[in-house]
Amino acid sequence: MAERLISDMTLKVLGFEKGHAFSEFRHMILQDGSSFAIHDGLREVFPGRFKVVKPAAVELHTTMDLLCDAPTTVVLTPDTANEQAFLPEPAALRDSVLLADRGYVDLHYLRRVQDEHGFFLIRAKAGMNPQVVEAFREDGKRLQSLRNKRLQVIHAKLPKRQRVALGVQWQVDGHPLCLRLIISWNPRTKSFCYFLTNLPPKRYPLEVICRAYKWRWQVELLLQFDHF
């Protein structure tokens, strides 16, 4: 009943000016989960991932619509539940865009979203190894030496002073899945950040992608508030 009320009573309260890069989307969906420990006596019902330290724990899986500034789905599960199982159905993302953290990367799911004419912007994992089809530096220079190679082969050659936009490809379900991979160096953590998206490059250039991902923090703030 609570889930039904949350879904039915959310209203669109935010939006973009006509012509803005994100103005064509009906929804901007933010997805995340937050874990917290509970009393050890509940370990059989709500097993935790860290059995020695916290044998009982739960995870709150939250789907939020940024344009409604409110959650649309909230599910409480044992902490051991696979968080990818609580992603929105691909058909529900038609003409919408999903923003999620790296734990939600599932190439089979992303293909289904793309097939349903949905879009996504997800922080990606460092260990990915797609085929690099195309490579451009932030200033527009094409990086010929990075093309037609596996990502892990060229990883040491990635520039740190400028962000890079790569066209990458995987074989998924017997067919190529072509996406954009935006890579930027974080001098504070001394590591690269990776953003995977199917948003078209002409309307959503590199700097727009990096700026837009920061909106995902709204669901993080919501979950932190729920803890209190």
Side-chain angles (χ1 to χ4, degrees):
M1 179 62 73
E3 290 181 25
R4 175 70 181 271
L5 288 173
I6 288 173
S7 178
D8 290 351
M9 296 181 66
T10 52
L11 300 174
K12 186 175 180 179
V13 295
L14 301 173
F16 297 93
E17 293 182 2
K18 187 176 181 180
H20 188 280
F22 286 89
S23 60
E24 69 258 44
F25 293 121
R26 296 184 299 114
H27 303 285
M28 297 193 68
I29 304 301
L30 315 181
Q31 181 75 26
D32 203 15
S34 183
S35 301
F36 51 96
I38 55 178
H39 192 279
D40 291 352
L42 294 171
R43 63 170 66 95
E44 298 298 327
V45 180
F46 294 107
R49 286 175 291 170
F50 308 102
K51 298 185 181 299
V52 176
V53 180
K54 296 294 181 182
V58 294
E59 183 163 1
L60 196 65
H61 305 273
T62 303
T63 306
M64 178 180 180
D65 190 338
L66 181 65
L67 300 183
C68 295
D69 195 27
T72 57
T73 305
V74 178
V75 182
L76 190 68
T77 70
D79 192 36
T80 51
N82 182 3
E83 57 190 358
Q84 293 178 359
F86 300 93
L87 283 164
E89 283 298 318
L93 294 173
R94 187 180 182 90
D95 300 325
S96 302
V97 58
L98 169 71
L99 277 69
D101 205 359
R102 56 190 172 189
Y104 293 95
V105 174
D106 179 343
L107 296 178
H108 299 278
Y109 174 81
L110 298 184
R111 169 176 286 288
R112 292 170 58 206
V113 172
Q114 187 158 274
D115 289 345
E116 293 287 349
H117 304 287
F119 295 87
F120 49 83
L121 170 52
I122 298 184
R123 187 179 175 191
K125 300 177 182 179
M128 295 184 309
N129 195 28
Q131 182 79 5
V132 177
V133 179
E134 193 57 273
F136 289 94
R137 207 167 60 186
E138 190 171 3
D139 60 6
K141 181 181 178 180
R142 174 177 279 170
L143 302 174
Q144 295 281 5
S145 63
L146 305 187
R147 300 173 64 215
N148 301 317
K149 297 181 177 69
R150 289 286 179 178
L151 177 59
Q152 295 305 317
V153 173
I154 65 171
H155 197 273
K157 299 179 181 179
L158 293 173
K160 296 179 179 179
R161 293 186 179 181
Q162 290 194 48
R163 292 172 289 195
V164 178
L166 304 178
V168 297
Q169 179 178 289
W170 287 270
Q171 288 294 320
V172 179
D173 300 329
H175 301 281
L177 176 64
C178 301
L179 301 175
R180 297 170 65 199
L181 182 62
I182 310 300
I183 303 178
S184 67
W185 177 254
N186 186 328
R188 183 178 59 84
T189 62
K190 299 188 183 304
S191 62
F192 285 105
C193 292
Y194 307 84
F195 301 107
L196 196 61
T197 186
N198 65 339
L199 291 166
K202 287 187 177 180
R203 187 158 173 78
Y204 298 91
L206 184 151
E207 65 273 10
V208 172
I209 293 295
C210 294
R211 188 167 63 247
Y213 185 76
K214 296 178 182 179
W215 297 334
R216 196 195 67 81
W217 280 101
Q218 294 303 312
V219 71
E220 295 272 7
L221 294 174
L222 176 69
L223 290 170
Q224 290 300 317
F225 178 78
D226 288 341
H227 277 206
F228 292 102

